Amino acid sequence: MKTKITMCNEQKKDITVKEAFEKYIKEKKIMNLSESTIKIYENFYNNPFIKFYSKNESCKNITKGTIIEFIDFIQKRNPNIKTTSINSYLQSLRAILYNFMENGYTPQFKIKLLKCEKTIKETYSPNELERLLKKPDIKKCRFSEYRSWVMVCYLLGTGNRLSTLCNLKIKDIDFENNEVALRKVKNKKQYIIPLSSTLSKTLSEYLKIRQGEPDDYLFCTQYGGRMEKLSVNSAIKRYNHSRGVAKTSVHLFRHTFAKNWILNGGDIFRLKNILGHSTLEMVKEYVNMFGGDLKRDFDKFNPLESMKASVVGREAINIRKTS
């Protein structure tokens, strides 16, 4: 019996990259991983990984040196590639190979990301927000413009991700308690966040125009169907440009929400929960990345400024020199 188990294990370890990856994707689908995440792994596998490493090669030949060669391959293919982009590839590769290691297909070794400086994330400026948040004339504008304005208000007022916005349904909005139930989120843990009074009024007005049933999607196409990510991105791009704003990223509203929450004195624990992060790490990054804005009201809160009467309003103290 022991001999038979050993033979099965040996056969299990001798498997091609193609076979192991197919098993990996099948496993992730069974585990109900989101379609978008599975697509990321599939895209990475097809290009660039299989452009670099043969799909018919045995998994047991993958070593730590293979990772170094892969990074070199990426850099030679695109000399101007950013370190953050390489790390995105490495994150996908690490998830796949760690699964191979867990199943005994590949030798055990650690895969480390490249060190890189974290840049301050871009946000919408107060001037840009003022232009984007100016309410269109409901009597004259098209529904698409009005809907985009409401989406901008929603994104800025909640910090939700694009995928969450696309999957919101009318029944998820609770006007009685001023709450919204977020059912489609990155970590698959549904949760509820508050709605500000302004956003609640905005959505209430929007639904009187949009109408629909509880199970209908909140933000719909002109035919009443669900808006896909591409559709929302295109709508926001057109809307922003029409308001004279060059930035068009939907995700920037999330960064802008976090930045203003911090600058307005909001605590990071509630920010973590509102944004749906499992740890405080990303929230700490927000605090660090917006460090340039710490100068706002710096004199007002600076302890030295509060004691400036002692600093500049009195005669100088005669300091006796010591021998």
Side-chain angles (χ1 to χ4, degrees):
M1 181 64 72
K2 289 183 179 180
T3 305
K4 186 176 180 180
I5 293 174
T6 303
M7 288 177 64
C8 287
N9 284 338
E10 287 301 320
Q11 289 174 356
K12 184 179 180 182
K13 290 181 180 179
D14 192 11
I15 186 173
T16 67
V17 170
K18 180 177 182 294
E19 292 169 330
F21 182 74
E22 287 173 350
K23 290 177 180 290
Y24 172 77
I25 292 298
K26 183 179 180 180
E27 177 185 317
K28 295 307 172 185
K29 287 181 177 178
I30 292 173
M31 293 173 63
N32 201 27
L33 205 67
S34 69
E35 291 181 11
S36 58
T37 302
I38 289 174
K39 195 69 178 174
I40 289 172
Y41 291 137
E42 288 177 335
N43 289 340
F44 166 78
Y45 172 77
N46 292 317
N47 185 24
F49 189 65
I50 291 307
K51 301 288 183 182
F52 159 75
Y53 198 84
S54 173
K55 62 184 178 182
N56 296 317
E57 185 74 27
S58 174
C59 289
K60 65 183 180 182
N61 294 332
I62 298 175
T63 64
K64 196 170 184 178
T66 307
I67 309 304
I68 303 300
E69 292 173 5
F70 174 70
I71 295 171
D72 184 58
F73 168 79
I74 294 295
Q75 290 174 330
K76 285 180 178 177
R77 193 172 72 160
N78 182 5
N80 297 319
I81 191 169
K82 294 181 180 180
T83 305
T84 51
S85 298
I86 296 175
N87 280 342
S88 294
Y89 285 138
L90 288 177
Q91 285 173 330
S92 295
L93 182 61
R94 183 165 63 180
I96 295 168
L97 291 188
Y98 278 4
N99 176 270
F100 290 5
M101 294 175 195
E102 185 180 339
N103 285 289
Y105 307 146
T106 300
Q108 297 276 342
F109 59 87
K110 288 186 177 181
I111 302 174
K112 295 182 179 180
L113 301 182
L114 301 181
K115 290 186 177 180
C116 60
E117 292 184 4
K118 295 196 174 185
T119 57
I120 295 177
K121 293 188 182 296
E122 192 176 32
T123 59
Y124 288 104
S125 69
N127 179 266
E128 289 168 331
L129 290 176
E130 189 175 341
R131 279 180 272 168
L132 294 174
L133 294 174
K134 186 176 181 180
K135 187 177 180 180
D137 188 336
I138 299 177
K139 295 180 180 179
K140 296 180 179 179
C141 73
R142 294 181 177 180
F143 173 73
S144 58
E145 181 186 355
Y146 175 64
R147 179 200 58 204
S148 293
W149 174 76
V150 176
M151 287 196 294
V152 166
C153 290
Y154 181 85
L155 290 165
L156 185 64
T158 62
N160 281 181
R161 293 183 176 91
L162 174 57
S163 57
T164 300
L165 177 138
C166 288
N167 287 282
L168 283 172
K169 292 189 175 182
I170 293 175
K171 66 182 181 182
D172 295 331
I173 309 299
D174 180 356
F175 290 109
E176 186 176 347
N177 297 303
N178 278 350
E179 296 175 338
V180 55
L182 307 180
R183 306 182 192 280
K184 187 74 174 181
V185 291
K186 190 174 182 179
N187 60 10
K188 295 187 178 296
K189 295 180 180 179
Q190 299 181 8
Y191 63 104
I192 295 173
I193 63 170
L195 286 177
S196 70
S197 57
T198 299
L199 182 55
S200 184
K201 290 176 183 177
T202 300
L203 291 174
S204 179
E205 179 193 76
Y206 165 75
L207 284 174
K208 289 177 183 177
I209 297 172
R210 186 252 186 270
Q211 298 183 350
E213 300 298 323
D215 280 320
D216 290 339
Y217 288 100
L218 180 64
F219 296 110
C220 62
T221 65
Q222 59 180 333
Y223 304 108
R226 175 179 179 269
M227 290 189 76
E228 301 293 337
K229 289 182 181 180
L230 185 60
S231 300
V232 175
N233 279 323
S234 298
I236 295 298
K237 182 178 181 179
R238 287 193 302 270
Y239 176 80
N240 287 16
H241 284 169
S242 72
R243 297 299 180 97
V245 176
K247 298 170 188 171
T248 60
S249 170
V250 171
H251 204 68
L252 285 193
F253 288 107
R254 185 171 171 85
H255 297 325
T256 305
F257 175 89
K259 173 182 176 179
N260 284 280
W261 177 276
I262 292 166
L263 294 181
N264 289 331
D267 67 88
I268 63 172
F269 297 101
R270 279 197 294 169
L271 179 60
K272 177 186 84 69
N273 293 332
I274 290 170
L275 294 180
H277 291 302
S278 55
T279 69
L280 282 171
E281 290 308 308
M282 187 61 224
V283 180
K284 288 177 182 177
E285 281 191 31
Y286 279 125
V287 175
N288 293 330
M289 72 178 63
F290 301 129
D293 290 283
L294 295 178
K295 63 185 179 184
R296 194 177 78 167
D297 292 331
F298 186 73
D299 284 359
K300 179 180 177 181
F301 300 112
N302 191 293
L304 181 62
E305 288 299 313
S306 65
M307 299 292 291
K308 67 181 178 182
S310 299
V311 178
V312 299
R314 297 181 179 179
E315 295 181 2
I317 297 175
N318 186 20
I319 300 176
R320 185 174 62 183
K321 292 182 179 180
T322 56
S323 56

Coordinates of all heavy atoms in Angstrom, one line a residue, residues 10 97 105 108 131 135 159 178 182 213 221 225 286:
E10 N 4.5 10.5 -7.0 CA 5.5 10.8 -8.0 C 4.8 11.2 -9.3 O 5.3 12.2 -10.0 CB 6.4 9.6 -8.3 CG 7.4 9.3 -7.1 CD 8.3 10.5 -6.9 OE1 8.8 11.1 -7.8 OE2 8.6 10.8 -5.7
L97 N 2.0 29.8 -8.9 CA 3.1 28.9 -8.5 C 2.9 28.4 -7.1 O 3.3 27.3 -6.8 CB 4.4 29.6 -8.7 CG 4.8 29.8 -10.2 CD1 6.2 30.3 -10.3 CD2 4.6 28.6 -11.0
Y105 N 3.6 20.0 -7.4 CA 4.0 20.0 -8.8 C 5.4 20.7 -8.9 O 6.2 20.4 -9.8 CB 3.0 20.7 -9.7 CG 1.6 20.3 -9.6 CD1 0.6 21.2 -9.7 CD2 1.3 18.9 -9.3 CE1 -0.8 20.8 -9.6 CE2 0.0 18.5 -9.2 CZ -1.0 19.4 -9.4 OH -2.3 19.0 -9.3
Q108 N 9.5 23.9 -3.5 CA 9.1 25.1 -2.7 C 10.2 26.1 -2.7 O 11.4 25.9 -2.5 CB 8.9 24.6 -1.2 CG 7.8 23.5 -1.0 CD 6.5 24.2 -0.8 OE1 6.4 25.4 -0.5 NE2 5.4 23.4 -1.0
R131 N -16.7 71.3 -10.5 CA -17.3 71.2 -11.8 C -18.1 69.9 -12.0 O -19.2 69.9 -12.6 CB -16.2 71.3 -12.9 CG -15.7 72.7 -13.1 CD -14.6 72.7 -14.2 NE -13.3 72.6 -13.6 CZ -12.2 72.3 -14.2 NH1 -12.2 72.2 -15.5 NH2 -11.0 72.2 -13.6
K135 N -25.0 70.2 -10.4 CA -26.1 69.5 -10.9 C -26.6 69.9 -12.3 O -26.8 71.1 -12.5 CB -27.3 69.6 -9.9 CG -28.5 68.7 -10.2 CD -29.5 68.8 -9.1 CE -30.7 67.9 -9.4 NZ -31.7 68.0 -8.4
G159 N -17.0 55.9 -1.9 CA -15.7 55.3 -2.1 C -15.8 53.9 -2.6 O -14.8 53.1 -2.6
N178 N -31.0 55.1 5.8 CA -29.9 55.8 5.1 C -28.7 54.8 5.0 O -27.6 55.2 5.5 CB -29.5 57.1 5.8 CG -30.4 58.2 5.4 OD1 -31.2 58.1 4.4 ND2 -30.3 59.3 6.0
L182 N -23.9 46.4 0.3 CA -22.9 46.1 -0.7 C -22.7 44.6 -0.8 O -22.2 44.0 0.1 CB -21.5 46.8 -0.4 CG -21.6 48.3 -0.1 CD1 -20.2 48.8 0.2 CD2 -22.2 49.0 -1.3
E213 N -38.0 48.1 -10.7 CA -38.4 47.2 -9.7 C -37.2 47.0 -8.7 O -36.0 47.2 -9.1 CB -38.8 45.8 -10.3 CG -40.0 45.9 -11.2 CD -41.2 46.4 -10.6 OE1 -41.4 46.1 -9.4 OE2 -42.0 47.2 -11.2
T221 N -28.7 51.0 -18.3 CA -28.5 51.5 -19.6 C -29.8 52.2 -20.0 O -30.8 52.2 -19.2 CB -28.2 50.4 -20.6 OG1 -29.4 49.5 -20.7 CG2 -27.0 49.6 -20.2
G225 N -31.2 47.9 -18.7 CA -30.3 46.7 -18.3 C -29.1 47.1 -17.5 O -28.9 48.3 -17.2
Y286 N -2.9 55.2 2.5 CA -3.6 56.4 2.2 C -3.1 57.6 3.0 O -2.9 58.7 2.6 CB -5.1 56.2 2.4 CG -5.9 55.5 1.3 CD1 -6.6 54.4 1.5 CD2 -5.8 56.0 -0.1 CE1 -7.3 53.8 0.5 CE2 -6.4 55.4 -1.1 CZ -7.2 54.3 -0.8 OH -7.9 53.6 -1.9

